[in-house]
């Protein structure tokens, strides 16, 4: 094709058709420019297609990861509520109230309520990879991008309260129980064939008369109420992220 155009130009020059040659040369330049622009446009289209495909994959992965995180959060909320109810049952028997719990019931409530801690451990592998690799810039939805960028900070606040609850359990509740209860019997599981029981005879009711016991049970209940509130607020963020992912996926498919 290039040789063909060159022959035409040479023929015009030899025939002294210089004005026509200039017009032809100018037209040829325009064709070359148009060709370059078309090539650039095709290249841009290919790059955009690759980017859109990658964005689609990222959105699908994020939707899957945050759906899993929502399910885990629902379980954490349910467990926090169960612990609160167990603490409330214990509190109905403290101080001068009539003791209505058997020793087995008391041991179970303390073991699975008072000493139990709930922590929320979401899966953040995909999100962290997207952020650390800079792929988050591929996501076009600015609202979704902001939610994802702020996710670890929001989660950090939730984990901070969880840490306080764990520390209180470890530094206050356990030492108290070691000193004032038959903790060996409290932790005995009836499912074990040969459970290790305590060699001491103790009155499990005596601990319920202590104000300190009532205070630490109520403190544990309050921490779980607070964590439940954190989880519910976090759930709203997760649902917004899932909804935005779904919205973008519907637009792109």
């Amino acid at each position: 094709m290039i040789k063909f155009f060159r022959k035409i130009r040479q023929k015009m020059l030899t025939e002294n058709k210089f004005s026509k040659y200039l017009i032809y040369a100018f037209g040829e330049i325009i064709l070359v420019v148009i060709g370059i622009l078309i090539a650039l446009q095709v290249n841009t289209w290919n790059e955009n297609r690759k980017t859109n495909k990658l964005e689609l994959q990222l959105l699908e992965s994020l939707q899957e990861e945050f759906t899993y995180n929502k399910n885990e959060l629902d379980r954490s909320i349910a467990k926090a509520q169960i612990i609160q109810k167990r603490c409330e049952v214990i509190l109905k028997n403290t101080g001068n109230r009539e003791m209505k719990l058997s020793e087995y019931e008391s041991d179970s409530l303390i073991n699975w309520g008072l000493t139990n801690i709930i922590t929320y451990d979401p899966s953040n592998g995909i999100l962290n990879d997207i952020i650390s690799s800079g792929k988050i810039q591929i996501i076009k939805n600015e609202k979704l991008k902001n939610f994802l960028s702020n996710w670890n900070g929001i989660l950090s606040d939730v984990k901070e309260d969880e840490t306080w609850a764990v520390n209180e359990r470890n530094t206050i509740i356990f030492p108290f129980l070691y000193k004032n209860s038959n903790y060996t019997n409290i932790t005995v599981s009836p499912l074990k064939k040969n459970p290790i029981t305590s060699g001491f005879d103790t009155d499990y009711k005596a601990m319920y008369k202590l104000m300190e016991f009532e205070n630490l049970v109520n403190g544990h209940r309050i921490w779980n109420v607070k964590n439940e509130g954190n989880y519910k607020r976090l759930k709203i963020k997760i649902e917004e992220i899932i909804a935005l992912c779904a919205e973008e996926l519907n637009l792109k498919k």
Side-chain angles (χ1 to χ4, degrees), residues 133-187:
S133 65
K135 293 178 183 176
I136 193 170
Q137 299 305 322
I138 294 174
I139 297 174
K140 297 181 179 65
N141 189 303
E142 291 297 325
K143 187 176 182 180
L144 175 58
K145 194 185 299 184
N146 288 334
F147 275 140
L148 295 174
S149 299
N150 296 328
W151 169 255
N152 284 328
I154 296 171
L155 184 61
S156 178
D157 292 338
V158 173
K159 301 304 290 183
E160 184 176 341
D161 282 342
E162 285 182 346
T163 300
W164 275 100
V166 171
N167 288 339
E168 185 168 296
R169 191 271 308 267
N170 293 341
T171 60
I172 298 177
I173 295 177
F174 277 148
F176 175 88
L177 292 176
Y178 294 158
K179 182 178 180 180
N180 296 284
S181 73
N182 193 321
Y183 192 70
T184 301
N185 285 346
I186 286 175
T187 56

Side-chain angles (χ1 to χ4, degrees), residues 20-38:
K20 290 185 178 181
Y21 170 79
L22 288 177
I23 295 172
Y24 179 83
F26 182 72
E28 187 177 335
I29 292 172
I30 292 176
L31 289 175
V32 172
V33 171
I34 292 173
I36 293 172
L37 291 175
I38 292 174

Side-chain angles (χ1 to χ4, degrees), residues 45-226:
W45 182 83
N46 285 330
E47 290 300 319
N48 288 338
R49 184 176 59 83
K50 292 178 182 178
T51 301
N52 290 336
K53 183 179 180 181
L54 178 57
E55 184 184 13
L56 190 67
Q57 293 171 346
L58 295 179
L59 290 170
E60 289 174 340
S61 297
L62 285 168
Q63 186 181 47
E64 182 178 349
E65 183 167 77
F66 276 91
T67 298
Y68 168 83
N69 290 342
K70 178 180 176 294
N71 293 335
E72 288 298 303
L73 193 56
D74 284 336
R75 280 190 276 271
S76 294
I77 291 172
K79 290 177 182 178
Q81 292 171 342
I82 290 172
I83 291 177
Q84 292 169 45
K85 290 178 181 178
R86 288 169 178 165
C87 288
E88 289 168 2
V89 173
I90 293 175
L91 291 170
K92 290 179 181 178
N93 293 273
T94 56
N96 297 323
R97 300 181 181 91
E98 179 185 356
M99 168 57 75
K100 297 181 180 180
L101 299 174
S102 67
E103 185 170 5
Y104 172 77
E105 289 172 332
S106 173
D107 289 347
S108 296
L109 287 168
I110 292 173
N111 192 26
W112 299 109
L114 186 56
T115 66
N116 204 356
I117 288 289
I118 301 303
T119 57
Y120 173 56
D121 300 302
S123 172
N124 287 331
I126 293 172
L127 175 60
N128 289 339
D129 176 68
I130 290 173
I131 293 175
S132 62
S133 65
K135 293 178 183 176
I136 193 170
Q137 299 305 322
I138 294 174
I139 297 174
K140 297 181 179 65
N141 189 303
E142 291 297 325
K143 187 176 182 180
L144 175 58
K145 194 185 299 184
N146 288 334
F147 275 140
L148 295 174
S149 299
N150 296 328
W151 169 255
N152 284 328
I154 296 171
L155 184 61
S156 178
D157 292 338
V158 173
K159 301 304 290 183
E160 184 176 341
D161 282 342
E162 285 182 346
T163 300
W164 275 100
V166 171
N167 288 339
E168 185 168 296
R169 191 271 308 267
N170 293 341
T171 60
I172 298 177
I173 295 177
F174 277 148
F176 175 88
L177 292 176
Y178 294 158
K179 182 178 180 180
N180 296 284
S181 73
N182 193 321
Y183 192 70
T184 301
N185 285 346
I186 286 175
T187 56
V188 169
S189 172
L191 300 178
K192 292 182 179 179
K193 293 183 178 180
N194 299 304
I196 298 175
T197 57
S198 174
F200 293 89
D201 293 327
T202 54
D203 180 10
Y204 76 97
K205 299 177 184 179
M207 184 173 60
Y208 282 76
K209 302 298 181 182
L210 299 175
M211 185 178 291
E212 184 180 356
F213 177 66
E214 182 181 77
N215 288 339
L216 64 85
V217 173
N218 194 41
H220 191 63
R221 181 190 66 82
I222 290 172
W223 271 117
N224 277 275
V225 170
K226 186 173 185 179

